Amino acid sequence: MRCRKCDERAVINMRHHKLSLCGDHYGEWFVAQIERAIEKYKMFTRDERILVAVSGGKDSLSLWDVLLRLGYQADGMYIGLGINTPIPYSDASLEMTRKFLARGGWRESGGDGDSVTSNVTPYTPFLHVVDVPEVYGKSIPEISRAKMRGQGRPCAACGLTKRYVMNRLAHERGYAVLATGHNLDDEVAVLFQNTLRWQTGYLARQAPTLPASHEGLVRKVKPLCRMYERETATYAVVRGIDYIYDECPHAAGNQMNFHKTLLNQLETESPGAKLSFYLEFLRARGEGAFDQFNETVELHACEICGQPTTAPGRCAFCRMWDVSAIVQ
Ligand code: Q46
Ligand code: ZN
Ligand code: ZN
């Protein structure tokens, strides 16, 4: 298979786009796709400060890399969850993130970086690290065991904590927007799950750009939402980004992965099915198909931390972590 643009050996063949590209041309193509999504979904501008939630995985590191190459003011935030058994998942993922930052390489001249970086002002990124066990006294598996009576996975406690810590840090440090590395496969699996259950409220709020609906909340964006997981992985490889291959040990066998497997079968039979499922959903959503389900819930400030919450008194995070005074 040859590159459509230069006849070099192709590193990827995207059947859904009928396009195969070599490493250099693929890198350029990928960056251009992300820039297009940022503009199309009005995610952010070059004047705004962006906080990228980084996990040490291919998606978030690739996203950070692309934003820096495009000259955006993008800092990173790593949340240490304290998940280190049976594999040192948290420690290894922080190491990958630090390695990425130390390596630099997004302002290089020459090679495929040239056309992307030549006319942008380089930005020196900063990495915020919030270590949950250090700040809040317990790891995610520990707080989950304590609060959920050892039932099920720690993912509910994990999701709540991550959402809270990300939003709070972004808001307190004056970032205009929080960017996450969700790719097309992630978005389609969520869409499929929400559709199976007809969770219309969730469907109404599933979007590449979620505006800050309330004081204290920041805008949330997903610039990789139209890129297949395979495409993001290929970008990381082409760019020589070292990332953590292991999934969180608590992810194995979850429903999301099961749905991803089903959707992959569909994609194999019908290339492009995932992309069109997602894009057609966005079209219908854009035409107002879910507007009636977009309820505006009244939020007020948590009496402990001041973050917006629906519950009266303490927010769900402060209740779960038994926070009775503000932890800085
Ligand atoms: S990190 Fe956390 Fe995931 Fe691990 S404990 Fe579950 S939610 S699976 S994205
Ligand atoms: Zn080429
Ligand atoms: Zn609170």
Side-chain angles (χ1 to χ4, degrees):
M1 189 74 63
R2 295 275 141 196
C3 172
R4 158 102 67 89
K5 295 195 174 168
C6 72
D7 218 32
E8 280 288 314
R9 196 178 64 82
V11 294
I12 188 165
N13 176 28
M14 296 171 283
R15 283 208 289 162
H16 49 284
H17 294 310
K18 296 191 176 59
L19 182 64
S20 47
L21 292 170
C22 69
D24 284 357
H25 284 121
Y26 180 70
E28 278 178 17
W29 178 86
F30 188 90
V31 171
Q33 293 294 311
I34 305 307
E35 172 108 289
R36 207 173 295 163
I38 292 168
E39 282 164 13
K40 180 173 172 61
Y41 301 115
K42 297 183 175 55
M43 292 184 175
F44 41 77
T45 64
R46 283 197 171 67
D47 303 328
E48 292 183 304
R49 291 175 64 228
I50 303 148
L51 187 63
V52 183
V54 282
S55 67
K58 61 184 183 319
D59 302 304
S60 55
L61 292 183
S62 292
L63 171 60
W64 200 7
D65 184 74
V66 170
L67 297 185
L68 290 170
R69 290 178 77 194
L70 286 168
Y72 286 103
Q73 304 176 55
D75 288 337
M77 171 181 31
Y78 174 86
I79 303 178
L81 305 168
I83 299 175
N84 283 313
T85 46
I87 53 163
Y89 173 72
S90 289
D91 289 352
S93 48
L94 176 58
E95 202 185 306
M96 286 300 182
T97 307
R98 289 218 159 108
K99 214 164 139 187
F100 168 82
L101 197 62
R103 193 191 75 131
W106 40 81
R107 57 173 84 177
E108 83 279 30
S109 55
D112 68 319
D114 228 7
S115 56
V116 179
T117 52
S118 56
N119 52 5
V120 296
T121 320
Y123 177 76
T124 305
F126 180 81
L127 175 67
H128 301 270
V129 176
V130 179
D131 188 71
V132 171
E134 206 174 289
V135 180
Y136 297 102
K138 282 187 175 71
S139 69
I140 291 295
E142 284 166 351
I143 186 74
S144 178
R145 273 197 295 276
K147 292 291 157 175
M148 320 287 178
R149 298 178 202 88
Q151 305 251 309
R153 299 165 193 276
C155 297
C158 184
L160 171 64
T161 304
K162 284 194 288 196
R163 278 193 301 278
Y164 178 91
V165 171
M166 287 194 282
N167 185 75
R168 183 167 162 187
L169 191 130
H171 180 248
E172 288 181 354
R173 304 295 172 100
Y175 289 96
V177 54
L178 178 71
T180 55
H182 293 97
N183 59 39
L184 178 71
D185 297 58
D186 299 325
E187 288 303 290
V188 169
V190 170
L191 175 60
F192 187 59
Q193 197 155 308
N194 290 341
T195 308
L196 281 179
R197 299 185 193 140
W198 286 114
Q199 285 175 309
T200 47
Y202 288 166
L203 289 167
R205 288 192 300 278
Q206 188 179 353
T209 300
L210 209 56
S213 57
H214 192 274
E215 168 59 27
L217 295 177
V218 294
R219 190 187 325 146
K220 299 197 175 70
V221 298
K222 301 168 190 167
L224 304 184
C225 65
R226 301 195 303 189
M227 309 311 289
Y228 281 85
E229 185 176 344
R230 188 172 75 95
E231 294 167 356
T232 321
T234 304
Y235 178 79
V237 171
V238 160
R239 288 282 293 156
I241 298 171
D242 221 355
Y243 60 88
I244 179 155
Y245 291 88
D246 292 312
E247 266 203 321
C248 169
H250 301 287
N254 70 13
Q255 201 178 43
M256 182 78 92
N257 281 353
F258 171 61
H259 288 154
K260 282 185 174 177
T261 306
L262 290 180
L263 290 158
N264 285 343
Q265 284 172 11
L266 172 69
E267 182 75 23
T268 307
E269 291 298 316
S270 168
K274 282 198 258 193
L275 187 60
S276 69
F277 181 36
Y278 183 61
L279 293 182
E280 289 303 310
F281 159 71
L282 290 186
R283 187 189 49 74
R285 188 182 174 279
E287 286 169 359
F290 299 97
D291 283 0
Q292 56 175 312
F293 305 113
N294 213 344
E295 346 154 339
T296 39
V297 274
E298 217 188 299
L299 300 178
H300 54 86
C302 164
E303 62 184 26
I304 302 292
C305 70
Q307 284 281 288
T309 174
T310 46
R314 289 193 293 172
C315 69
F317 179 88
C318 289
R319 275 185 282 129
M320 184 175 83
W321 284 93
D322 286 329
V323 181
S324 51
I326 296 183
V327 183
Q328 289 295 346

